[in-house]
Amino acid sequence: MSVTTIEGLVSNSENKMGLDDNVKSNEDDNNNINNTSRVEGSDNEEGGTLSRYMSESSVAATEEEEEDEDRKIELGPQCTLKEQLEKDKDDESLRRWKEQLLGGVDINAVGETLEPDVKIVSLAIKSAGRPDIVLPIPEDGNPKGLWFTLKEGSRYRLVFTFQVNHNIVSGLKYTNTVWKTGIKVDSSKEMIGTFSPQSETYTHEMPEETTPSGIFARGAYTARSKFVDDDNKSYLEINYTFDIRKDWQ
């Protein structure tokens, strides 16, 4: 993991994790298929609908998407946390700012490891008025069979906890791609942020979403979720299936 300076830390940005309730039809221009805008916290009272006609260009990622997948940000030489603190040590205000940013990190405990390590500890789906759906995380990242079921037109959030070890992780983000009958119906990305190592876990809650509804929305879906950083290093990839039904069960 490459980190130039601690000053480069970033905060969370807006995006969605799962099904987008506005799926493009083949009447859209191919160049705009993958540029659908989202607004954080927006609610659709009636639920979204899936178009019965899908463009052929939605079956596979566009060249622009493929380039984005492979693109890596050049962040410069790697530095350990000790080296980060040694930089500008004569600047008292900057030194205090760095110490405050790192909080209670034990520099001696993290050692001289360059690469950060991020472990996703738990995943859960929250929906008002019902128990949380706790999602087991298999070691190989491939849940067996149906992973979960969502009710059509329901509002929900994905919540996860994670732990950062060894070094600062820069630009941690969550990506999610969803297919139905082999056709890509949604692709989203959520910037989580940059985090220093600590013994306590971090908790992140995604923006609320509404599942689509209607006869064309119900059925089985396949999806792939990934947690990656600015170097495109993957900390967890999950390939799974889920259903949208008239009810939760």
Side-chain angles (χ1 to χ4, degrees):
M1 172 60 225
S2 302
V3 179
T4 305
T5 60
I6 296 180
E7 291 87 334
L9 302 185
V10 297
S11 61
N12 295 355
S13 66
E14 302 174 350
N15 211 321
K16 291 189 174 182
M17 68 66 86
L19 286 173
D20 187 89
D21 53 16
N22 294 307
V23 180
K24 305 292 282 179
S25 69
N26 66 342
E27 297 175 354
D28 290 330
D29 187 280
N30 288 342
N31 292 328
N32 296 324
I33 288 177
N34 296 297
N35 296 323
T36 305
S37 61
R38 297 185 174 91
V39 180
E40 180 176 351
S42 63
D43 295 327
N44 186 341
E45 296 294 336
E46 298 178 356
T49 58
L50 291 177
S51 171
R52 67 180 69 186
Y53 302 106
M54 300 300 298
S55 171
E56 292 182 0
S57 60
S58 66
V59 176
T62 64
E63 292 182 1
E64 181 179 349
E65 285 180 322
E66 291 174 348
E67 290 175 0
D68 184 65
E69 286 282 334
D70 298 332
R71 187 181 298 121
K72 292 185 179 181
I73 300 175
E74 297 296 333
L75 297 176
Q78 296 172 322
C79 298
T80 65
L81 285 183
K82 288 183 178 180
E83 291 171 338
Q84 292 282 7
L85 288 177
E86 284 297 315
K87 291 182 178 181
D88 307 306
K89 62 181 180 180
D90 295 332
D91 188 325
E92 183 67 17
S93 61
L94 185 57
R95 182 184 64 81
R96 290 181 179 179
W97 177 79
K98 289 180 179 181
E99 291 177 350
Q100 182 180 9
L101 183 65
L102 290 173
V105 175
D106 186 347
I107 301 299
N108 294 321
V110 297
E112 299 290 336
T113 305
L114 290 174
E115 294 289 340
D117 179 65
V118 178
K119 180 180 180 181
I120 308 303
V121 178
S122 67
L123 289 166
I125 295 174
K126 293 180 176 290
S127 183
R130 61 170 288 102
D132 296 346
I133 302 175
V134 178
L135 303 174
I137 306 174
E139 292 185 3
D140 63 359
N142 296 302
K144 305 300 181 183
L146 187 68
W147 205 26
F148 60 87
T149 297
L150 296 174
K151 179 183 178 181
E152 63 175 343
S154 62
R155 297 179 180 179
Y156 69 96
R157 295 177 185 269
L158 177 68
V159 179
F160 51 86
T161 61
F162 60 96
Q163 189 170 31
V164 179
N165 298 307
H166 304 322
N167 207 337
I168 295 169
V169 59
S170 177
L172 183 65
K173 52 186 166 287
Y174 170 88
T175 65
N176 191 64
T177 306
V178 182
W179 295 267
K180 189 174 193 290
T181 62
I183 298 174
K184 185 168 67 174
V185 295
D186 183 75
S187 181
S188 58
K189 181 184 296 184
E190 165 86 0
M191 175 60 73
I192 302 169
T194 295
F195 304 89
S196 62
Q198 64 177 35
S199 57
E200 295 80 13
T201 59
Y202 292 95
T203 299
H204 183 79
E205 184 171 304
M206 304 290 285
E208 185 179 74
E209 297 185 66
T210 302
T211 58
S213 59
I215 186 172
F216 295 107
R218 293 192 292 269
Y221 294 79
T222 59
R224 179 174 63 242
S225 297
K226 296 175 66 175
F227 292 85
V228 298
D229 63 16
D230 275 344
D231 278 341
N232 208 29
K233 178 181 178 180
S234 177
Y235 297 100
L236 179 65
E237 178 176 328
I238 307 176
N239 297 279
Y240 60 96
T241 61
F242 69 96
D243 281 356
I244 292 181
R245 301 177 182 175
K246 288 186 177 181
D247 209 337
W248 291 98
Q249 299 296 332

